[in-house]
Amino acid sequence: MKILLTGGAGYIGSVTAKLLIDHGHELTIIDDLSEGHLEALDPRAAFVQGDLGNADVLHKAFSKDPFDAVMHFAGSCLVPESVEHPSLYYHNNVVNGLLLLETMRENGVPKIIFSSSCAVYGEPEKTPITEMTPQKPTHPYGETKFAFEKALKWYAKAYEITAILLRYFNAAGATDHLGEDHATETHLIPNVLKAALNELPYVNIYGTDYPTPDGTCIRDYVHVLDIAQAHILALELEESESFNLGNGSGYSVRQVIQTAEKVCEMKIPVKECNRRIGDPPILVASSQKIQQVLGWIPKHPSLEEIMRSAWRWTQKHPKGYASTNDKNPKIKHQKSKLQCKT
Ligand code: UFG
């Protein structure tokens, strides 16, 4: 298929792009490189650099090929930053998404696969989370993903577009060449591994008084390659659907740190802090629907395996990719002021 993929220089987008091309699909990637990295771009893809809010960028990308599908990864994805800068999130995740959708419609592209998030469920009372769990987001990031999901549902109905919503739980891990490198790193596993490499003095544990067995938050970590594989399967689907994308097993922050200590064969220094704003205590997926409908079976479900892959990548790239945004003054990024209040 000919596919337009937004955010193909980012973490999940770059891994998916490579897998798609390996499967014989032809890709055009749009990325503004505000969070992505040139080194993560697959050289086999056509590349248009720019913001989805720029009509010229969209026209340039869509003038290349009649696409069979769009995969929309580009967007802002940090919960604390979204609380600080909701306008950035509404702009990137809703306004730019709608511009993409309009251009898709004008050009008759029949399918979109959208990178949504478990954040659309907010703080559900019951676990595991199914697709029937009520959607009640509790922060601007989740709210903007939910808003775009709703737009997609109506567009799909009115304009005969197939819209497949993939609600990722906690993407983690790496391939041999592609890994996680954000301008401002807020995610647990990269920070734990940075602390193991002495790139950070310690890892913060945000909250030790949650209603969980060890008092720290529980998440469902899913290998980025398994997420990418779900996109390949979703391409075959002819009906609009939404799916949770997680392993179905939850690990606490302390369990993640213990797993990293085993994999890295060292003690990792920690600092216990107050809760971080917007963090639900437990987010664990039921992935029954995607397993039944798409036949998706995670090939790398073990947290230890996920951690080993991330550790291999982090050791090879202790400071991330070479072309980080911090080294590119042309790219402005609004950084969050995340503080650890003990
Ligand atoms: N955490 C720490 N220390 C850190 C980083 C994180 O204790 O240095 C904790 C967080 O408080 C949270 C857990 O580790 O309890 C996981 O945090 P991450 O930042 O790794 O991931 P989140 O669960 O916050 O975020 C993920 C996705 C988002 C998505 C969100 C839904 O990255 O895109 O789940 O809540 F929106």
Side-chain angles (χ1 to χ4, degrees):
M1 285 189 189
K2 288 187 194 307
I3 299 166
L4 176 73
L5 191 149
T6 72
Y11 172 43
I12 308 175
S14 63
V15 174
T16 309
K18 180 178 183 310
L19 201 65
L20 285 163
I21 297 172
D22 290 347
H23 276 72
H25 298 291
E26 272 178 49
L27 253 65
T28 298
I29 288 174
I30 303 182
D31 200 300
D32 66 1
L33 299 180
S34 63
E35 274 290 335
H37 307 274
L38 275 175
E39 296 96 315
L41 266 179
D42 197 305
R44 297 170 293 175
F47 176 49
V48 180
Q49 183 175 348
D51 190 322
L52 293 176
N54 180 339
D56 290 342
V57 168
L58 284 175
H59 285 133
K60 196 171 165 193
F62 278 83
S63 68
K64 282 182 183 291
D65 277 310
F67 294 116
D68 300 303
V70 165
M71 289 194 185
H72 182 33
F73 291 87
S76 299
C77 66
L78 303 177
V79 173
E81 183 184 58
S82 81
V83 177
E84 246 184 288
H85 303 293
S87 80
L88 182 71
Y89 279 68
Y90 275 90
H91 185 81
N92 286 347
N93 295 354
V94 183
V95 176
N96 285 356
L98 289 174
L99 292 171
L100 172 70
L101 205 48
E102 276 305 303
T103 316
M104 220 185 113
R105 193 162 76 86
E106 280 162 20
N107 287 274
V109 183
K111 185 175 285 181
I112 179 165
I113 300 175
F114 172 55
S115 304
S116 189
S117 164
C118 60
V120 298
Y121 295 113
E123 302 197 9
E125 281 153 28
K126 280 194 196 152
T127 197
I129 299 168
T130 72
E131 290 77 1
M132 302 302 284
T133 299
Q135 291 176 268
K136 294 181 186 165
T138 52
H139 43 71
Y141 169 65
E143 203 62 78
T144 55
K145 287 285 179 188
F146 187 38
F148 193 63
E149 277 200 3
K150 284 194 282 192
L152 278 177
K153 282 185 185 164
W154 291 111
Y155 271 62
K157 209 171 181 175
Y159 307 126
E160 293 183 7
I161 292 171
T162 302
I164 298 156
L165 317 179
L166 297 179
R167 297 183 185 134
Y168 308 157
F169 281 65
N170 287 58
T175 71
D176 286 344
H177 302 289
L178 301 166
E180 192 166 7
D181 176 12
H182 296 108
T184 307
E185 192 51 82
T186 64
H187 292 105
L188 179 62
I189 291 181
N191 280 339
V192 170
L193 298 179
K194 275 174 196 248
L197 274 185
N198 279 327
E199 292 290 327
L200 285 177
Y202 47 78
V203 59
N204 293 323
I205 297 182
Y206 294 122
T208 53
D209 59 349
Y210 282 98
T212 59
D214 69 16
T216 65
C217 287
I218 292 177
R219 294 288 182 272
D220 182 338
Y221 296 90
V222 51
H223 199 294
V224 64
L225 267 173
D226 285 327
I227 293 184
Q229 181 63 27
H231 290 75
I232 307 266
L233 298 172
L235 270 179
E236 304 301 327
L237 200 63
E238 296 299 336
E239 280 164 27
S240 294
E241 272 296 358
S242 35
F243 298 106
N244 288 343
L245 202 37
N247 278 317
S249 320
Y251 294 92
S252 72
V253 173
R254 288 195 200 279
Q255 286 176 315
V256 169
I257 295 169
Q258 280 158 12
T259 307
E261 289 181 333
K262 183 175 173 201
V263 166
C264 307
E265 297 176 349
M266 68 181 77
K267 189 91 192 131
I268 296 172
V270 302
K271 184 171 180 182
E272 295 186 359
C273 310
N274 285 349
R275 292 181 178 198
R276 193 173 71 173
I277 191 162
D279 277 339
I282 304 177
L283 292 172
V284 177
S286 158
S287 57
Q288 267 186 6
K289 184 175 170 187
I290 192 163
Q291 299 206 11
Q292 280 163 6
V293 178
L294 293 184
W296 177 78
I297 295 169
K299 289 189 188 140
H300 315 279
S302 119
L303 180 62
E304 193 175 317
E305 188 185 346
I306 291 172
M307 190 69 76
R308 279 193 198 286
S309 69
W311 180 229
R312 277 193 297 273
W313 193 84
T314 309
Q315 284 177 299
K316 276 193 236 161
H317 305 84
K319 300 203 185 294
Y321 290 105
S323 66
T324 65
N325 309 313
D326 285 346
K327 291 169 202 148
N328 186 346
K330 284 188 189 151
I331 295 169
K332 289 192 189 129
H333 181 83
Q334 289 177 290
K335 295 202 169 196
S336 296
K337 290 170 228 91
L338 278 180
Q339 284 168 353
C340 176
K341 297 176 201 144
T342 46

